[in-house]
Amino acid sequence: EAQVTQNPRYLITVTGKKLTVTCSQNMNHEYMSWYRQDPGLGLRQIYYSMNVEVTDKGDVPEGYKVSRKEKRNFPLILESPSPNQTSLYFCASSDDRGGTGELFFGEGSRLTVL
Amino acid sequence: AQKITQTQPGMFVQEKEAVTLDCTYDTSDPSYGLFWYKQPSSGEMIFLIYQGSYDQQNATEGRYSLNFQKARKSANLVISASQLGDSAMYFCAMREPRTYKYIFGTGTRLKVLA
């Protein structure tokens, strides 16, 4: 089954404790990206990657890091989480080799930073 | 700056009636893609419909159609014959081919009444 898998789905952590949210897709998509969803703000793009070893900042990259060492994986790293990073996070991928380029989303990861 | 605006935070529609969800966008790039996504209460993001900036005809997908008015920079979603299962949050989004950034609106919460 074609899918984007995120882990963990739910996480409560404390300020300053480094954490990684993993994202993996099995559709051989070149494009992958991370978003955070906050009430009243919609989804905002954090980082995106056009291909292996190629990453770019989205609209809200502060406090986050990413890496793209393999085509299928695109982890989101919070080096020193703060309460304002409490949010619902989505990973998504798309096939930009033709077609519409719609995003395929993971199920989301709800992060709470205390 | 690129922007997506959804001015209706919430809407109600009677079952079996049609409803229009508004979306306006702003970009200086002549080439772009417009998307609508649905987010049910369960939280997943579902792709509904796509419109390319050079497409001559309005996109349609089953009960969904996109009313694309390029001069007005609007891309409204029309849902015909509303069903109870259409109750969800709806997001309008734009992708810029040049930067591969995705921008989302703040969403419209639709409630279908029996």
Side-chain angles (χ1 to χ4, degrees), chain A residues 27-95:
Chain A
M27 295 169 279
N28 201 35
H29 286 168
E30 294 186 342
Y31 185 92
M32 297 186 74
S33 53
W34 277 101
Y35 304 82
R36 60 178 290 173
Q37 182 179 2
D38 301 290
L41 297 178
L43 279 79
R44 294 178 291 169
Q45 192 172 42
I46 303 171
Y47 270 96
Y48 62 97
S49 169
M50 292 301 301
N51 212 328
V52 175
E53 302 291 1
V54 179
T55 62
D56 276 297
K57 295 178 181 179
D59 289 325
V60 288
E62 296 79 16
Y64 305 94
K65 287 175 60 176
V66 293
S67 68
R68 187 91 183 272
K69 293 185 172 59
E70 305 166 281
K71 196 172 187 178
R72 62 184 293 127
N73 295 324
F74 191 45
L76 179 70
I77 303 157
L78 286 72
E79 293 271 2
S80 182
S82 62
N84 64 13
Q85 292 179 297
T86 292
S87 187
L88 176 60
Y89 291 86
F90 285 100
C91 179
S93 69
S94 75
D95 184 357

Side-chain angles (χ1 to χ4, degrees), chain B residues 14-41:
Chain B
Q14 207 65 37
E15 194 178 11
K16 300 180 185 177
E17 293 187 349
V19 63
T20 298
L21 307 184
D22 294 341
C23 173
T24 58
Y25 61 92
D26 190 17
T27 180
S28 56
D29 200 319
S31 178
Y32 50 88
L34 296 160
F35 304 80
W36 278 92
Y37 292 88
K38 173 184 178 181
Q39 186 179 41
S41 58

Side-chain angles (χ1 to χ4, degrees), chain A residues 31 37 48 59 96 101 103, chain B residues 37 39 43 95 99-102:
Chain A
Y31 185 92
Q37 182 179 2
Y48 62 97
D59 289 325
D96 270 336
L103 293 168
Chain B
Y37 292 88
Q39 186 179 41
R95 184 193 69 172
T99 63
Y100 289 90
K101 287 181 72 172
Y102 280 83

Side-chain angles (χ1 to χ4, degrees), chain A residues 3 7 9 13 16 25 28 31 38 42 53 55 63 70 80-81 89 97-98 100-101 103 107 110 114:
Chain A
Q3 59 186 2
N7 280 296
R9 295 285 315 281
T13 189
Q25 50 95 4
N28 201 35
Y31 185 92
D38 301 290
E53 302 291 1
T55 62
E70 305 166 281
S80 182
Y89 291 86
R97 290 168 293 181
T100 69
L103 293 168
E107 293 179 295
R110 186 166 292 282
L114 301 176

Side-chain angles (χ1 to χ4, degrees), chain A residues 3-24:
Chain A
Q3 59 186 2
V4 178
T5 303
Q6 296 178 226
N7 280 296
R9 295 285 315 281
Y10 302 91
L11 179 64
I12 300 174
T13 189
V14 296
T15 299
K17 186 175 181 181
K18 180 180 178 179
L19 68 93
T20 298
V21 186
T22 63
C23 175
S24 180

